[in-house]
Amino acid sequence: MLNYLNHKGTVILTTPRLILRRFTVDDAQAMYNNWATDEKVTRFLAWEIHESIEKTREILTQWVDEYDSLEYYHWGIEYMHDGNIMIIGGINLHGVSNKSWRAELGYNIGSKWWNKGIMTEAAKAVLEFGFNEVGFNKICALHDTENVGSGRVMQKIGMIREGHFHKHSRRKDGSWGDIGFYSILKENWDNK
């Protein structure tokens, strides 16, 4: 067993229906069209919908610059739709703790592609990579409890609910949201 994490950065991951790959600034139009302007997607997220494609380009430029770090894990989700491969969302591992071999999973996808198992498929690929390639011991995830679909993804990938934080997050509309905290350990991933 290694005594450290084996950081590899954002490498290409594939599943039967998806390619998870690094974002490029050329993804701006697809990101803008497919989820960055989708109010259903941003309802429970900290960021506002993008008012212009320039905002999308600016964010992508920041993300692309982060790929220089081997500890930066942020994938665009490519999916075949109507005969075209397009980028429809993103998934990442952030809050990396080298000391505790832990990371937090985050994701979003355009609402047109909800309830098709796409995010579950992408998340399983990221967990497999995180546990077996990087060496994380624990991967966590949080969701607003009113965002039931996000919690279902966590359950489908084998995460266990560890906690419920009451009025833990202030939403964009000023209301308070409860947060569900989920996680999965490498030993549980290996044994499923």
Side-chain angles (χ1 to χ4, degrees), residues 33-52:
N33 293 344
N34 292 333
W35 78 94
T37 56
D38 187 336
E39 290 185 3
K40 291 177 187 173
V41 173
T42 62
R43 179 175 173 212
F44 296 109
L45 300 177
W47 51 274
E48 300 288 342
I49 63 168
H50 294 188
E51 298 296 328
S52 69

Side-chain angles (χ1 to χ4, degrees), residues 19-187:
I19 297 172
L20 307 183
R21 57 140 175 104
R22 290 180 175 198
F23 283 101
T24 70
V25 178
D26 291 340
D27 293 321
Q29 192 67 57
M31 179 177 171
Y32 183 79
N33 293 344
N34 292 333
W35 78 94
T37 56
D38 187 336
E39 290 185 3
K40 291 177 187 173
V41 173
T42 62
R43 179 175 173 212
F44 296 109
L45 300 177
W47 51 274
E48 300 288 342
I49 63 168
H50 294 188
E51 298 296 328
S52 69
I53 194 158
E54 287 74 28
K55 177 67 175 173
T56 306
R57 277 194 197 95
E58 177 185 316
I59 288 170
L60 284 169
T61 299
Q62 292 170 7
W63 293 351
V64 168
D65 288 345
E66 294 287 334
Y67 288 128
D68 289 340
S69 170
L70 289 179
E71 295 184 23
Y72 185 69
Y73 300 103
H74 196 176
W75 295 268
I77 301 169
E78 279 189 345
Y79 176 67
M80 178 72 78
H81 180 70
D82 292 337
N84 298 310
I85 294 176
M86 64 173 54
I87 195 155
I88 60 169
I91 188 166
N92 66 68
L93 291 172
H94 60 278
V96 170
S97 171
N98 287 304
K99 179 182 179 232
S100 299
W101 300 3
R102 183 182 65 238
E104 185 177 325
L105 179 70
Y107 46 80
N108 56 59
I109 191 172
S111 62
K112 282 194 276 191
W113 297 280
W114 290 358
N115 301 311
K116 298 181 185 316
I118 294 168
M119 191 53 73
T120 300
E121 188 173 324
K124 284 179 178 178
V126 169
L127 290 183
E128 180 72 23
F129 170 77
F131 286 132
N132 295 322
E133 298 293 323
V134 181
F136 289 115
N137 181 60
K138 183 175 188 174
I139 297 177
C140 313
L142 306 169
H143 78 100
D144 187 303
T145 56
E146 288 188 16
N147 187 353
V148 177
S150 186
R152 272 197 309 264
V153 169
M154 294 170 196
Q155 293 164 6
K156 288 178 185 175
I157 62 176
M159 288 186 158
I160 303 298
R161 186 180 182 122
E162 287 194 13
H164 183 108
F165 305 124
H166 297 279
K167 294 187 178 182
H168 188 74
S169 178
R170 190 144 189 238
R171 298 182 184 122
K172 290 181 282 199
D173 67 3
S175 65
W176 291 98
D178 288 1
I179 298 296
F181 178 84
Y182 284 77
S183 75
I184 186 168
L185 299 172
K186 182 181 186 332
E187 63 196 60

